[in-house]
Amino acid sequence: MIRFETKLFKIGEWTILRLPKEESAKLPSRGMIMVKGTINDVPFKTLLEPDGRYVPGQGSSHWFRPDQKLLDSAHAAAGDSVQVSLTPTKEWVEPDVPPDFKKALSTSPKAKDLWADITPNARWDWIRWIRAVKTPQTRQKHVEVALSKLNKGMRRPCCFNRNLCSEPYVSHNWVLLEPTQTIVR
């Protein structure tokens, strides 16, 4: 079990919990990883995203966005220090399938069947690959390519670096923003 104290911070409207580098180094992967744990003794299970800041010899970190229910239960908000404990788990939670991709899957029985057959970990890879873009046009292209590749039997997106931050709302060039940075849209 990994235990630490850290301060929650905001990027845009999101409250973010970033693991200290030395604690993140105790995880079995620099890439995305599923964990279960507690914040201020309130249990949670979530996917940790990499921050995309890996430097050989210096490491990198992971982060996640606690939902409002978890924050309320833990009596925590951005700016607060929280006590965290976590353990990697092989029990992956299902990702939320974005509406545009869910609609695309509904048009193809073959892709939909493969989607149901792949692991939650693989589904997370597809979701992260689809959302890791800057423009709606590129996102639509990723949805179309994902559907095509699933129809061809591909179980995971190729050429996707799992060690980079794939959430465009809180990242720039695949790197988690600092609390003081903002994205100009």
Side-chain angles (χ1 to χ4, degrees):
M1 178 154 315
I2 301 169
R3 297 177 192 272
F4 58 92
E5 181 175 322
T6 193
K7 187 177 272 195
L8 299 171
F9 63 90
K10 285 266 200 196
I11 298 176
E13 297 299 314
W14 287 19
T15 299
I16 302 292
L17 185 149
R18 180 192 270 166
L19 281 66
K21 278 186 180 183
E22 59 275 8
E23 304 306 329
S24 187
K26 297 174 185 175
L27 294 168
S29 171
R30 286 194 322 256
M32 68 175 186
I33 186 167
M34 191 62 60
V35 296
K36 58 183 178 179
T38 63
I39 296 177
N40 292 345
D41 295 322
V42 177
F44 68 90
K45 187 181 211 179
T46 195
L47 176 84
L48 295 182
E49 286 263 1
D51 69 3
R53 296 180 180 276
Y54 179 74
V55 177
Q58 296 179 19
S60 62
S61 188
H62 289 83
W63 67 276
F64 78 100
R65 178 186 184 195
D67 65 23
Q68 195 58 52
K69 182 179 176 186
L70 176 56
L71 292 170
D72 290 346
S73 296
H75 304 289
D80 293 345
S81 289
V82 292
Q83 297 295 319
V84 180
S85 67
L86 52 87
T87 303
T89 180
K90 294 182 189 270
E91 300 166 10
W92 285 70
V93 297
E94 285 293 331
D96 290 329
V97 180
D100 55 347
F101 188 51
K102 188 180 284 188
K103 182 177 178 182
L105 283 171
S106 73
T107 68
S108 172
K110 187 173 181 179
K112 190 175 182 180
D113 287 348
L114 183 58
W115 182 260
D117 188 54
I118 63 177
T119 66
N121 187 331
R123 288 190 282 273
W124 273 102
D125 277 348
W126 282 112
I127 299 297
R128 290 178 74 230
W129 183 76
I130 288 168
R131 76 172 185 213
V133 298
K134 294 180 182 178
T135 68
Q137 295 83 5
T138 306
R139 181 183 174 102
Q140 180 58 38
K141 180 72 173 167
H142 274 218
V143 167
E144 291 167 8
V145 169
L147 191 64
S148 173
K149 289 184 177 198
L150 286 164
N151 274 316
K152 292 175 185 171
M154 290 185 68
R155 301 177 77 80
R156 289 186 187 266
C158 70
C159 310
F160 178 62
N161 187 337
R162 300 176 90 222
N163 299 325
L164 298 175
C165 182
S166 68
E167 180 51 68
Y169 185 77
V170 294
S171 68
H172 181 69
N173 292 333
W174 303 87
V175 175
L176 182 68
L177 297 170
E178 293 295 332
T180 57
Q181 292 178 297
T182 57
I183 297 175
V184 179
R185 297 202 191 270

